[in-house]
Amino acid sequence: MVLQQRPARRLRQDIPPTRAVRRAISRIEARGHTTFGGRLDPHPEGRLARSMAKRGMAHDWRDFDQIRAWAHTVATELHRQSQASGEAGPAVDKR
């Protein structure tokens, strides 16, 4: 069995929110939006996913360092906001 190497990382691109996500952002008054890369199985079900896989897009595009950095930013901001308002707030992992 040959392990497939992870593809070279592409430059990070900001992916605009879909219409449904824009509505959710508005409804919950979110401060921002981030879309992360996902994973596409080489043999997926569904016409669109199969088409993407046939065009060489079947990879694991997740970037866990980027996800952790985003989560840390969100936690830090929530902690800062809770300190300013005098609430206990969530603990922030300083890793």
Side-chain angles (χ1 to χ4, degrees):
M1 180 164 107
V2 177
L3 294 178
Q4 188 176 8
Q5 285 189 323
R6 185 182 198 124
R9 293 197 179 178
R10 294 183 178 177
L11 293 175
R12 182 170 178 260
Q13 295 178 335
D14 289 329
I15 301 169
T18 64
R19 190 175 344 173
V21 171
R22 284 194 307 267
R23 283 193 303 264
I25 289 170
S26 177
R27 187 175 62 248
I28 66 171
E29 299 178 4
R31 297 180 198 160
H33 155 267
T34 302
T35 299
F36 298 103
R39 179 182 170 278
L40 179 59
D41 188 274
H43 305 287
E45 295 185 23
R47 187 174 36 173
L48 178 60
R50 273 195 311 273
S51 172
M52 291 171 66
K54 286 179 184 176
R55 289 182 287 154
M57 299 174 75
H59 296 289
D60 187 344
W61 300 101
R62 296 173 292 186
D63 182 339
F64 293 102
D65 291 335
Q66 180 189 20
I67 295 166
R68 275 189 283 280
W70 171 83
H72 179 74
T73 300
V74 171
T76 300
E77 178 59 28
L78 291 173
H79 182 71
R80 187 176 300 129
Q81 179 184 351
S82 69
Q83 293 298 307
S85 67
E87 299 173 13
V92 176
D93 184 354
K94 307 229 181 206
R95 282 188 267 174

